[in-house]
Amino acid sequence: MAPDRARIVIEVDGVQHYGCPNPPDDKGRITHTAVPRLYAKMVAEDRRLRLAGYEIYRFGGWELTQPHAEQLGADFFTELLARHQKPAL
């Protein structure tokens, strides 16, 4: 819950949110195949939460592995908290 009492959900979405693993290749690497049913399940939950009054912010897991991830997080939370300041009495 934010200082202004807004209800916020922050999610980090890995490949399991939209794909299923394939068998390992000849080098042992595992790839994934997109599965529309998994994606539909995820966005249906988004809608349910939004209708219940939540703000939802998603990050792709990949973007949080990049060199700029720390700055990305810092910038996001700075903007989020600026948006949701505690109301003055």
Side-chain angles (χ1 to χ4, degrees):
M1 194 168 281
D4 67 354
R5 313 237 348 120
R7 297 183 294 176
I8 297 170
V9 174
I10 299 170
E11 292 207 18
V12 177
D13 295 338
V15 70
Q16 73 277 10
H17 286 266
Y18 57 83
C20 285
N22 298 313
D25 66 14
D26 59 346
K27 295 184 179 172
R29 294 177 296 212
I30 297 176
T31 59
H32 290 75
T33 297
V35 178
R37 172 183 42 81
L38 291 176
Y39 180 75
K41 183 178 174 183
M42 180 179 68
V43 295
E45 180 65 7
D46 255 26
R47 289 191 307 271
R48 186 186 72 75
L49 288 169
R50 288 175 194 273
L51 288 172
Y54 288 86
E55 289 183 28
I56 301 165
Y57 297 94
R58 293 185 172 280
F59 290 89
W62 179 85
E63 70 183 317
L64 298 180
T65 67
Q66 301 307 296
H68 70 283
E70 188 172 337
Q71 188 63 52
L72 172 78
D75 292 346
F76 169 76
F77 283 104
T78 297
E79 289 182 43
L80 184 66
L81 290 172
R83 178 179 177 178
H84 290 287
Q85 291 295 315
K86 190 172 186 173
L89 298 176

